[in-house]
Amino acid sequence: MFVIKEKLKSVMLSGKECLPIIEGGKGVAVSNGATSGAFAAAGAVGTFSGVNPDRYDADGNVILNTYTGKTRRERHEELITMGIEGGIAQAQIAHEASNGEGRIHVNILWEMGGAQAVLEGILEGAKGLVHGVTCGAGMPYRLSEIAQKYNIYYYPIVSSMRAFRALWKRSYHKNVSLLGGIVYEDPWRAGGHNGLSNSENPLKPEDPYPRVVELRKFMNDVGLNEVPVVMAGGVWYLDDWEHWLDNPEIGPIVFQYGTRPILTKESPVPDAWKKRLLTLKEGDVALNRFSPTGFYSSAVKNAFLQNLEARHQRQIPYVTHPEGVLTEELTFGPRSRAVYVELQDKDRAHKWMLEGFDEVLKTPDSTLLFVTKEGAQQIREDQINCMGCLSHCKFSNWKDHDTYNTGKKADPRSFCIQKTLQDAAHNIGDLENQLMFAGHNAYKFADDPFYDNGHVPTVKELVERIMTGR
């Protein structure tokens, strides 16, 4: 083990010297004012989520989001209002908990519905309490412009040099002084939504070192030599990263932790979630592409993901008139609608129907999906209740601007991400049947002696542990 204190140096982050540790900004109430304030109080950078952050009543109880609007647009406006109120509340909590130490950041997903309105509303209502904004899940070209308007630092999240180069050339070169850092998020190892491109193989993880070296080279070429890279995704023991420290190919480096802060006393997630993390084995977190965002995401393999995978397998291509090998007539529904499929697929369809998957839904890709009546009812209900939480939603065909419709059929192979993430965060229903985002190193909770006997540390204890290199 190397002498961590000699190599792990403090870094200027958002205008203040901090430990080179940043809390990852997990969405939907998972990173909040309590966790981010505690990270800041420990001398690091705390990040609360600006994605559907919790609000509280006069007694400090969480106010669950409810919607009264009759249309998607009306509910979308309610979502924005609640998001701003929650974000301001979390910023205030974080500020008070920080004791004037460290820095406080807010995290925004650019592809969430009303992202710019929510971000600006939080920054307007919490002036002086937030020092930086991290933003990914898309290409946030306007991030530097917003940062300049509110005089805070900005930290774009990218998964390749090419993505940052595009952001730099289009807009970021106009506002260099507030560029606090570039977050490189490993698209194979990070939890939540991942930035894998169509040219990258989700089954073949690449070494982050040459990818970050490529990013740093471009940064140096445009004069960003002193701007730190924030390594996110796959970070656990810092002594595994010794060769990154004091390395001119890497330059100033900071490490972001997303999954480990979930298992802390300050973390607001239910105890069942924390206990589940302690049981994970290597391979229990998997990449999937069921998210209504269209992005890959990493989550715990549980009944929720297994059901989505099984649903995905129960689909066959069809046409409305005989064509090529699609010549076998298949009828379904109360009106006995006829379509044409392959012979082998007709046999499969009849088998699924006999098994109870006798409701047939059409997908945007000209396939038929076979689900139970209860499953079909739930899908339709969730689509009808859409509150516009994404800028573009495959599941409901919502879009948060122009026509407010993607122009494509709603995709029943996906799911309402807002609903399941809210339920998971607030202990509603069985966690096994909810989406649990996690990084691929989450299995290390079970291997790391720091968590022996189910130990759940405070954030301060976690930061101290990280700084030992182990």
Side-chain angles (χ1 to χ4, degrees):
M1 182 184 295
F2 66 90
V3 182
I4 192 76
K5 291 183 179 179
E6 293 181 4
K7 287 195 172 185
L8 197 59
K9 299 174 182 176
S10 296
V11 179
M12 287 295 293
L13 294 168
S14 299
K16 188 172 184 177
E17 190 169 299
C18 300
L19 298 178
I21 297 172
I22 295 180
E23 175 191 16
K26 299 161 290 297
V28 186
V30 176
S31 291
N32 66 4
T35 61
S36 56
F39 265 91
V45 175
T47 308
F48 69 88
S49 174
V51 184
N52 311 119
D54 279 338
R55 302 168 297 139
Y56 307 96
D57 62 21
D59 297 321
N61 300 310
V62 172
I63 303 172
L64 296 177
N65 287 357
T66 57
Y67 302 87
T68 60
K70 294 183 179 180
T71 67
R72 289 180 175 183
R73 288 182 62 181
E74 289 171 347
R75 294 191 292 272
H76 175 66
E77 291 303 320
E78 290 178 280
L79 179 129
I80 289 174
T81 298
M82 290 186 288
I84 293 171
E85 291 175 359
I88 294 170
Q90 300 305 333
Q92 292 169 338
I93 293 169
H95 174 72
E96 292 173 7
S98 72
N99 298 320
E101 302 296 327
R103 297 277 85 174
I104 300 295
H105 290 179
V106 59
N107 181 67
I108 291 287
L109 303 182
W110 197 246
E111 288 301 319
M112 79 181 202
Q116 184 170 340
V118 171
L119 176 57
E120 293 204 32
I122 293 172
L123 296 179
E124 189 68 40
K127 285 183 177 177
L129 307 184
V130 180
H131 310 109
V133 53
T134 57
C135 188
M139 294 293 281
Y141 292 110
R142 301 195 67 183
L143 185 61
S144 65
E145 176 186 324
I146 296 169
Q148 190 167 38
K149 179 178 178 180
Y150 293 94
N151 193 35
I152 67 168
Y153 291 87
Y154 66 106
Y155 297 75
I157 301 173
V158 299
S159 294
S160 68
M161 178 277 290
R162 294 180 296 281
F164 177 67
R165 182 175 61 191
L167 292 167
W168 172 262
K169 289 186 175 180
R170 179 160 171 176
S171 62
Y172 291 1
H173 70 278
K174 301 174 185 176
N175 182 12
V176 179
S177 62
L178 292 174
L179 181 57
I182 313 301
V183 182
Y184 171 79
E185 187 175 70
D186 190 314
W188 290 275
R189 298 170 180 86
H193 289 105
N194 306 81
L196 278 171
S197 71
N198 291 330
S199 64
E200 292 165 331
N201 188 336
L203 301 178
K204 292 185 177 180
E206 295 182 14
D207 181 356
Y209 184 88
R211 294 169 68 93
V212 172
V213 168
E214 184 182 33
L215 172 61
R216 170 58 69 188
K217 184 177 185 306
F218 175 78
M219 291 171 64
N220 290 350
D221 288 346
V222 296
L224 302 177
N225 307 60
E226 300 306 314
V227 174
V229 169
V230 180
M231 179 61 211
V235 181
W236 197 274
Y237 301 121
L238 286 187
D239 59 4
D240 292 335
W241 302 79
E242 179 180 8
H243 60 297
W244 287 54
L245 303 175
D246 291 337
N247 183 337
E249 288 193 312
I250 296 293
I253 184 70
V254 177
F255 297 94
Q256 179 170 298
Y257 286 84
T259 300
R260 288 187 77 172
I262 301 175
L263 193 60
T264 57
K265 293 189 185 302
E266 291 88 347
S267 172
V269 305
D271 286 343
W273 191 335
K274 295 179 183 181
K275 290 177 181 177
R276 183 75 174 91
L277 289 173
L278 288 167
T279 70
L280 296 178
K281 298 179 176 60
E282 189 168 6
D284 280 353
V285 174
L287 276 169
N288 69 86
R289 209 170 189 178
F290 294 117
S291 171
T293 62
F295 295 127
Y296 280 95
S297 68
S298 294
V300 174
K301 291 192 290 188
N302 59 4
F304 183 85
L305 281 189
Q306 289 165 1
N307 288 336
L308 284 170
E309 180 61 35
R311 184 196 301 176
H312 183 79
Q313 296 300 323
R314 292 192 304 273
Q315 67 175 316
I316 57 175
Y318 77 96
V319 291
T320 54
H321 300 283
E323 179 182 317
V325 296
L326 305 174
T327 58
E328 295 297 315
E329 184 178 271
L330 176 69
T331 59
F332 59 90
R335 299 180 183 178
S336 295
R337 289 170 291 186
V339 296
Y340 296 88
V341 300
E342 285 193 58
L343 176 60
Q344 61 183 16
D345 287 342
K346 182 176 181 178
D347 293 338
R348 295 167 70 206
H350 284 153
K351 176 177 177 291
W352 293 328
M353 289 178 178
L354 289 173
E355 292 172 348
F357 302 102
D358 50 0
E359 281 288 309
V360 184
L361 305 176
K362 294 181 178 180
T363 79
D365 296 325
S366 297
T367 63
L368 301 177
L369 195 70
F370 294 78
V371 298
T372 63
K373 285 183 172 59
E374 295 79 8
Q377 181 179 350
Q378 188 65 66
I379 288 169
R380 294 184 181 112
E381 182 180 312
D382 289 345
Q383 289 171 335
I384 290 170
N385 291 335
C386 174
M387 73 294 291
C389 73
L390 300 175
S391 66
H392 296 76
C393 179
K394 290 172 54 180
F395 180 64
S396 68
N397 78 4
W398 158 266
K399 183 172 67 171
D400 72 352
H401 55 283
D402 300 334
T403 61
Y404 299 95
N405 187 298
T406 61
K408 299 179 181 179
K409 291 180 181 177
D411 194 337
R413 294 168 296 187
S414 190
F415 58 93
C416 178
I417 195 167
Q418 174 75 197
K419 176 185 172 183
T420 185
L421 290 179
Q422 288 283 1
D423 287 353
H426 298 107
N427 203 24
I428 299 173
D430 181 6
L431 188 63
E432 183 68 17
N433 292 299
Q434 306 294 353
L435 181 65
M436 284 180 62
F437 281 147
H440 289 251
N441 272 350
Y443 73 92
K444 291 187 177 180
F445 281 119
D447 296 340
D448 191 333
F450 185 52
Y451 301 97
D452 281 352
N453 301 313
H455 174 59
V456 178
T458 64
V459 166
K460 184 175 186 295
E461 290 172 333
L462 174 61
V463 171
E464 290 173 349
R465 176 71 174 191
I466 291 170
M467 288 296 292
T468 69
R470 297 299 295 168

